[in-house]
Amino acid sequence: MKQSKLLIPTLREVPNNAEARNLQLLLRAGFIRQVSGGVYAYLPLAMRVLKKMNAIIEEEFEKIGAVEIKMPTLLPLSLLEKTGLTSSDEKAYNFKNRTGKNFILGSTYEELISELIGDEVSSYKRLPLTLFQIETKYRNDKRSRFGLLRSYEFIMSDAYSFHATEKSLDEMYRAYQKAFSRIFERLGVKVKSLLGDSQIDEQTDALEYMALSESGDKVGCFSTGSDYAADLQAATSAFTSKKSHESLKEIEKVTFDQQKNLEEAAVALDIPLQKTIKTQLYIADDQPILILVRADQKVNELKVKKYLQVQRLNAADETKVETYFKSAPTYLGPIGVSIDCPIYADLQVQDLANALTGANEENTYLQNINPERDLQVEYYADFRLVKEGDVSPDNSGTLELKKGVEVGRMVKVGTYFSERLKTSVLDENGQHIPVQMGYYELGISRLLATVAEQNSDQEGINWPAEVAPFDLHIVQTNMEDETQTKLTNTVEKMMIEAGYQVLVDDRLERGGVKFADADLIGCPVRITVGNQADEGTVSIKFKQTQATIEVKQEELISTLDILLNSES
């Protein structure tokens, strides 16, 4: 294919607003262009890579019996409201059609797929069944970040399996794990598998696949002494009770002349943060609750939500705090709570003695709070986010926190959706049983960005062979040289007949410009037709290793076959 016929708008400099490495690479190499914040156009080179990525995914999924479908972009809100998961989702694009019916742009399809199976499959004999699609999805985030790693519009493969038994679901879950491993290997991307969070039920198995990246918006927790790895939201740490043996003191009220938050008050009173109680008000469904953690810790809202088994958990804003407690959030405390507001506390809080907390009065705190004596706590549980250096939950090593991007995940959904949507089949005894479901997703646009970022150098992208836009990039240095043109045409024909996908730089540009663009684009092999064309000699450069070699035209195919096989 002639480069002059393609739209490949390369850039010499990194755009000012492109902070993420993946965005810099793909913009400079002419693969994508930003249409609006968080919205991108995929240009010809990107489309070639995406088609190859999709083909790999389709091939590996079909090996385990998955079949492809296509679901609509417009989803009726009434269907999603049946499960209670998406009806209030602030990340959904909501709108009405001309008749006033509510729709959202598709981002998740568990409800629609489950209802489809419920309508069309009535007997266990038609299970297991696994379906997948590769589609553009939409997410109305507050802001987009990190280029293709977090955008408003993204490409994703989502697969769903349906089973009559948990054993069958387990078998398919393992099959998808193997399929994912093969896909990542063929794409040339390095990932780590982590314990994930299903966001449905505390006992539901979930796996996340993370590619480490400083541009990532996820945090993974890894043990220094074992294979334990978990997403930050799902991670736990070993807890050993260290009950203080201090003598219990009487509660004292402390008032400051000026505003101080809990941390500042602790410093002023020479109290370590480990002896403070931070109080946060949440609305769990419609019930106000208080969550207590130490001031050096953060609340893990997902743990709270799952522990309480509520569908919605929202941090109360300043207005709600003042409505319930007649106090600013800064001075919120758990003493003297008179309204119907249950208190839940992190495990570490119960070990405190003579702690500092808010007094529900402006500029005022209470010293010498002792949980067993002074607080009416409903339950103590693990409600905090783990921190760097915490002991691993298996008591082997400590936790390290690393940034990354989630490129895939799978969840044993079980009967969550089938119970809510009445999706059942008749078993061998003629009894209705809820359908077991598994969910498996791959972020394709994220993978495009991740492959580019992980396989790159200062010159540009080094595409792995299976997903490169072209196998070979032929660069003719002087378009006015007839001998070069003749040899270029001959080499192009030879390579195409040998089964290679070939890009030919036939532009009227200087050799230096062509070489720079070829390095940005990143095809695995560059063949240069230059000053030795009259001798029938070309230069081969392997992008990944930077190795170069000069060969005669007639030896080109055999040389490439040998060297490419040795590299692979």
mmCIF file of all heavy atoms in Angstrom, residues 462-487:
data_model
loop_
_atom_site.group_PDB
_atom_site.id
_atom_site.type_symbol
_atom_site.label_atom_id
_atom_site.label_comp_id
_atom_site.label_asym_id
_atom_site.label_seq_id
_atom_site.Cartn_x
_atom_site.Cartn_y
_atom_site.Cartn_z
ATOM 1 N N ASN A 462 7.082 0.265 18.742
ATOM 2 C CA ASN A 462 7.634 -0.979 18.192
ATOM 3 C C ASN A 462 6.536 -2.038 18.210
ATOM 4 O O ASN A 462 6.456 -2.835 19.142
ATOM 5 C CB ASN A 462 8.832 -1.459 19.022
ATOM 6 C CG ASN A 462 9.927 -0.427 19.130
ATOM 7 O OD1 ASN A 462 10.173 0.325 18.195
ATOM 8 N ND2 ASN A 462 10.588 -0.378 20.277
ATOM 9 N N TRP A 463 5.675 -2.043 17.217
ATOM 10 C CA TRP A 463 4.514 -2.928 17.243
ATOM 11 C C TRP A 463 4.923 -4.390 17.213
ATOM 12 O O TRP A 463 5.748 -4.801 16.400
ATOM 13 C CB TRP A 463 3.598 -2.653 16.048
ATOM 14 C CG TRP A 463 2.887 -1.348 16.113
ATOM 15 C CD1 TRP A 463 3.153 -0.229 15.382
ATOM 16 C CD2 TRP A 463 1.791 -1.015 16.969
ATOM 17 N NE1 TRP A 463 2.289 0.791 15.727
ATOM 18 C CE2 TRP A 463 1.451 0.338 16.701
ATOM 19 C CE3 TRP A 463 1.070 -1.710 17.930
ATOM 20 C CZ2 TRP A 463 0.420 0.990 17.361
ATOM 21 C CZ3 TRP A 463 0.042 -1.065 18.597
ATOM 22 C CH2 TRP A 463 -0.279 0.266 18.309
ATOM 23 N N PRO A 464 4.321 -5.221 18.090
ATOM 24 C CA PRO A 464 4.516 -6.674 17.981
ATOM 25 C C PRO A 464 4.005 -7.170 16.624
ATOM 26 O O PRO A 464 3.070 -6.599 16.054
ATOM 27 C CB PRO A 464 3.669 -7.231 19.132
ATOM 28 C CG PRO A 464 3.551 -6.092 20.101
ATOM 29 C CD PRO A 464 3.502 -4.861 19.263
ATOM 30 N N ALA A 465 4.618 -8.233 16.136
ATOM 31 C CA ALA A 465 4.367 -8.672 14.761
ATOM 32 C C ALA A 465 2.899 -8.958 14.479
ATOM 33 O O ALA A 465 2.387 -8.620 13.401
ATOM 34 C CB ALA A 465 5.207 -9.909 14.461
ATOM 35 N N GLU A 466 2.175 -9.580 15.440
ATOM 36 C CA GLU A 466 0.797 -10.001 15.149
ATOM 37 C C GLU A 466 -0.176 -8.843 15.019
ATOM 38 O O GLU A 466 -1.255 -9.009 14.445
ATOM 39 C CB GLU A 466 0.299 -10.971 16.229
ATOM 40 C CG GLU A 466 0.717 -12.408 15.992
ATOM 41 C CD GLU A 466 -0.287 -13.398 16.540
ATOM 42 O OE1 GLU A 466 -1.385 -13.554 15.962
ATOM 43 O OE2 GLU A 466 0.027 -14.021 17.560
ATOM 44 N N VAL A 467 0.142 -7.674 15.567
ATOM 45 C CA VAL A 467 -0.809 -6.565 15.519
ATOM 46 C C VAL A 467 -0.261 -5.341 14.790
ATOM 47 O O VAL A 467 -0.929 -4.306 14.729
ATOM 48 C CB VAL A 467 -1.257 -6.158 16.939
ATOM 49 C CG1 VAL A 467 -2.050 -7.273 17.588
ATOM 50 C CG2 VAL A 467 -0.072 -5.750 17.806
ATOM 51 N N ALA A 468 0.928 -5.431 14.239
ATOM 52 C CA ALA A 468 1.511 -4.286 13.531
ATOM 53 C C ALA A 468 0.621 -3.890 12.350
ATOM 54 O O ALA A 468 0.049 -4.756 11.683
ATOM 55 C CB ALA A 468 2.911 -4.628 13.041
ATOM 56 N N PRO A 469 0.515 -2.586 12.065
ATOM 57 C CA PRO A 469 -0.331 -2.175 10.937
ATOM 58 C C PRO A 469 0.143 -2.754 9.606
ATOM 59 O O PRO A 469 -0.669 -3.097 8.746
ATOM 60 C CB PRO A 469 -0.235 -0.647 10.955
ATOM 61 C CG PRO A 469 1.006 -0.334 11.740
ATOM 62 C CD PRO A 469 1.134 -1.436 12.739
ATOM 63 N N PHE A 470 1.447 -2.866 9.439
ATOM 64 C CA PHE A 470 2.051 -3.524 8.283
ATOM 65 C C PHE A 470 3.246 -4.332 8.770
ATOM 66 O O PHE A 470 3.890 -3.977 9.763
ATOM 67 C CB PHE A 470 2.511 -2.512 7.232
ATOM 68 C CG PHE A 470 1.403 -1.773 6.546
ATOM 69 C CD1 PHE A 470 0.944 -0.578 7.067
ATOM 70 C CD2 PHE A 470 0.805 -2.275 5.400
ATOM 71 C CE1 PHE A 470 -0.092 0.121 6.448
ATOM 72 C CE2 PHE A 470 -0.229 -1.587 4.777
ATOM 73 C CZ PHE A 470 -0.682 -0.397 5.296
ATOM 74 N N ASP A 471 3.577 -5.404 8.046
ATOM 75 C CA ASP A 471 4.748 -6.203 8.400
ATOM 76 C C ASP A 471 6.034 -5.477 8.034
ATOM 77 O O ASP A 471 7.014 -5.511 8.786
ATOM 78 C CB ASP A 471 4.717 -7.551 7.668
ATOM 79 C CG ASP A 471 3.469 -8.356 7.978
ATOM 80 O OD1 ASP A 471 3.047 -8.355 9.154
ATOM 81 O OD2 ASP A 471 2.912 -8.968 7.046
ATOM 82 N N LEU A 472 6.025 -4.849 6.859
ATOM 83 C CA LEU A 472 7.224 -4.216 6.318
ATOM 84 C C LEU A 472 6.930 -2.781 5.909
ATOM 85 O O LEU A 472 5.850 -2.480 5.383
ATOM 86 C CB LEU A 472 7.737 -4.974 5.085
ATOM 87 C CG LEU A 472 7.927 -6.493 5.190
ATOM 88 C CD1 LEU A 472 8.292 -7.054 3.817
ATOM 89 C CD2 LEU A 472 8.996 -6.828 6.200
ATOM 90 N N HIS A 473 7.897 -1.905 6.128
ATOM 91 C CA HIS A 473 7.798 -0.515 5.684
ATOM 92 C C HIS A 473 8.965 -0.268 4.740
ATOM 93 O O HIS A 473 10.131 -0.238 5.157
ATOM 94 C CB HIS A 473 7.874 0.417 6.894
ATOM 95 C CG HIS A 473 7.399 1.806 6.603
ATOM 96 N ND1 HIS A 473 7.120 2.718 7.584
ATOM 97 C CD2 HIS A 473 7.131 2.450 5.420
ATOM 98 C CE1 HIS A 473 6.713 3.855 7.049
ATOM 99 N NE2 HIS A 473 6.719 3.705 5.738
ATOM 100 N N ILE A 474 8.664 -0.121 3.448
ATOM 101 C CA ILE A 474 9.714 0.131 2.454
ATOM 102 C C ILE A 474 9.860 1.640 2.276
ATOM 103 O O ILE A 474 8.883 2.339 1.995
ATOM 104 C CB ILE A 474 9.366 -0.525 1.098
ATOM 105 C CG1 ILE A 474 9.202 -2.040 1.274
ATOM 106 C CG2 ILE A 474 10.446 -0.215 0.073
ATOM 107 C CD1 ILE A 474 8.777 -2.766 0.006
ATOM 108 N N VAL A 475 11.078 2.120 2.445
ATOM 109 C CA VAL A 475 11.354 3.551 2.327
ATOM 110 C C VAL A 475 12.292 3.780 1.148
ATOM 111 O O VAL A 475 13.442 3.315 1.151
ATOM 112 C CB VAL A 475 11.990 4.099 3.615
ATOM 113 C CG1 VAL A 475 12.369 5.571 3.423
ATOM 114 C CG2 VAL A 475 11.039 3.941 4.795
ATOM 115 N N GLN A 476 11.811 4.477 0.153
ATOM 116 C CA GLN A 476 12.645 4.897 -0.975
ATOM 117 C C GLN A 476 13.155 6.296 -0.671
ATOM 118 O O GLN A 476 12.376 7.223 -0.469
ATOM 119 C CB GLN A 476 11.841 4.886 -2.276
ATOM 120 C CG GLN A 476 12.656 5.301 -3.497
ATOM 121 C CD GLN A 476 11.849 5.244 -4.789
ATOM 122 O OE1 GLN A 476 10.820 4.575 -4.856
ATOM 123 N NE2 GLN A 476 12.322 5.942 -5.825
ATOM 124 N N THR A 477 14.474 6.462 -0.620
ATOM 125 C CA THR A 477 15.037 7.729 -0.151
ATOM 126 C C THR A 477 14.958 8.841 -1.181
ATOM 127 O O THR A 477 14.872 10.017 -0.837
ATOM 128 C CB THR A 477 16.502 7.544 0.279
ATOM 129 O OG1 THR A 477 17.276 7.057 -0.835
ATOM 130 C CG2 THR A 477 16.589 6.572 1.453
ATOM 131 N N ASN A 478 14.980 8.500 -2.474
ATOM 132 C CA ASN A 478 14.959 9.523 -3.525
ATOM 133 C C ASN A 478 13.941 9.114 -4.584
ATOM 134 O O ASN A 478 14.197 8.221 -5.396
ATOM 135 C CB ASN A 478 16.354 9.678 -4.142
ATOM 136 C CG ASN A 478 16.405 10.796 -5.185
ATOM 137 O OD1 ASN A 478 15.397 11.431 -5.498
ATOM 138 N ND2 ASN A 478 17.596 11.047 -5.728
ATOM 139 N N MET A 479 12.805 9.796 -4.578
ATOM 140 C CA MET A 479 11.736 9.426 -5.495
ATOM 141 C C MET A 479 12.035 9.796 -6.943
ATOM 142 O O MET A 479 11.354 9.312 -7.863
ATOM 143 C CB MET A 479 10.418 10.084 -5.055
ATOM 144 C CG MET A 479 9.874 9.601 -3.711
ATOM 145 S SD MET A 479 9.612 7.817 -3.662
ATOM 146 C CE MET A 479 8.399 7.607 -4.961
ATOM 147 N N GLU A 480 13.042 10.614 -7.175
ATOM 148 C CA GLU A 480 13.398 11.007 -8.542
ATOM 149 C C GLU A 480 14.439 10.085 -9.159
ATOM 150 O O GLU A 480 14.812 10.254 -10.316
ATOM 151 C CB GLU A 480 13.912 12.452 -8.537
ATOM 152 C CG GLU A 480 12.839 13.452 -8.093
ATOM 153 C CD GLU A 480 13.368 14.877 -8.073
ATOM 154 O OE1 GLU A 480 14.590 15.054 -8.253
ATOM 155 O OE2 GLU A 480 12.555 15.797 -7.894
ATOM 156 N N ASP A 481 14.917 9.122 -8.384
ATOM 157 C CA ASP A 481 15.908 8.163 -8.873
ATOM 158 C C ASP A 481 15.180 6.973 -9.484
ATOM 159 O O ASP A 481 14.525 6.195 -8.789
ATOM 160 C CB ASP A 481 16.799 7.716 -7.707
ATOM 161 C CG ASP A 481 17.959 6.847 -8.170
ATOM 162 O OD1 ASP A 481 17.741 5.917 -8.959
ATOM 163 O OD2 ASP A 481 19.095 7.087 -7.705
ATOM 164 N N GLU A 482 15.298 6.812 -10.801
ATOM 165 C CA GLU A 482 14.563 5.757 -11.495
ATOM 166 C C GLU A 482 15.008 4.361 -11.077
ATOM 167 O O GLU A 482 14.194 3.434 -11.015
ATOM 168 C CB GLU A 482 14.728 5.928 -13.007
ATOM 169 C CG GLU A 482 14.053 7.184 -13.562
ATOM 170 C CD GLU A 482 14.164 7.276 -15.074
ATOM 171 O OE1 GLU A 482 14.741 6.345 -15.677
ATOM 172 O OE2 GLU A 482 13.665 8.271 -15.636
ATOM 173 N N THR A 483 16.305 4.225 -10.786
ATOM 174 C CA THR A 483 16.807 2.922 -10.360
ATOM 175 C C THR A 483 16.193 2.528 -9.020
ATOM 176 O O THR A 483 15.786 1.372 -8.809
ATOM 177 C CB THR A 483 18.338 2.950 -10.237
ATOM 178 O OG1 THR A 483 18.906 3.320 -11.499
ATOM 179 C CG2 THR A 483 18.870 1.584 -9.816
ATOM 180 N N GLN A 484 16.115 3.489 -8.098
ATOM 181 C CA GLN A 484 15.483 3.219 -6.804
ATOM 182 C C GLN A 484 14.010 2.870 -6.984
ATOM 183 O O GLN A 484 13.495 1.955 -6.328
ATOM 184 C CB GLN A 484 15.626 4.431 -5.879
ATOM 185 C CG GLN A 484 17.020 4.642 -5.331
ATOM 186 C CD GLN A 484 17.047 5.724 -4.250
ATOM 187 O OE1 GLN A 484 16.016 6.035 -3.643
ATOM 188 N NE2 GLN A 484 18.229 6.291 -4.016
ATOM 189 N N THR A 485 13.341 3.611 -7.842
ATOM 190 C CA THR A 485 11.914 3.357 -8.061
ATOM 191 C C THR A 485 11.678 1.954 -8.611
ATOM 192 O O THR A 485 10.781 1.232 -8.167
ATOM 193 C CB THR A 485 11.324 4.395 -9.029
ATOM 194 O OG1 THR A 485 11.479 5.709 -8.478
ATOM 195 C CG2 THR A 485 9.853 4.130 -9.293
ATOM 196 N N LYS A 486 12.514 1.558 -9.561
ATOM 197 C CA LYS A 486 12.377 0.231 -10.151
ATOM 198 C C LYS A 486 12.607 -0.855 -9.097
ATOM 199 O O LYS A 486 11.842 -1.829 -9.009
ATOM 200 C CB LYS A 486 13.368 0.075 -11.308
ATOM 201 C CG LYS A 486 13.263 -1.270 -12.024
ATOM 202 C CD LYS A 486 14.230 -1.336 -13.203
ATOM 203 C CE LYS A 486 14.132 -2.694 -13.896
ATOM 204 N NZ LYS A 486 15.088 -2.798 -15.051
ATOM 205 N N LEU A 487 13.662 -0.678 -8.283
ATOM 206 C CA LEU A 487 13.963 -1.680 -7.252
ATOM 207 C C LEU A 487 12.870 -1.699 -6.180
ATOM 208 O O LEU A 487 12.483 -2.771 -5.703
ATOM 209 C CB LEU A 487 15.323 -1.394 -6.611
ATOM 210 C CG LEU A 487 15.781 -2.395 -5.543
ATOM 211 C CD1 LEU A 487 15.794 -3.818 -6.092
ATOM 212 C CD2 LEU A 487 17.166 -2.007 -5.007
#
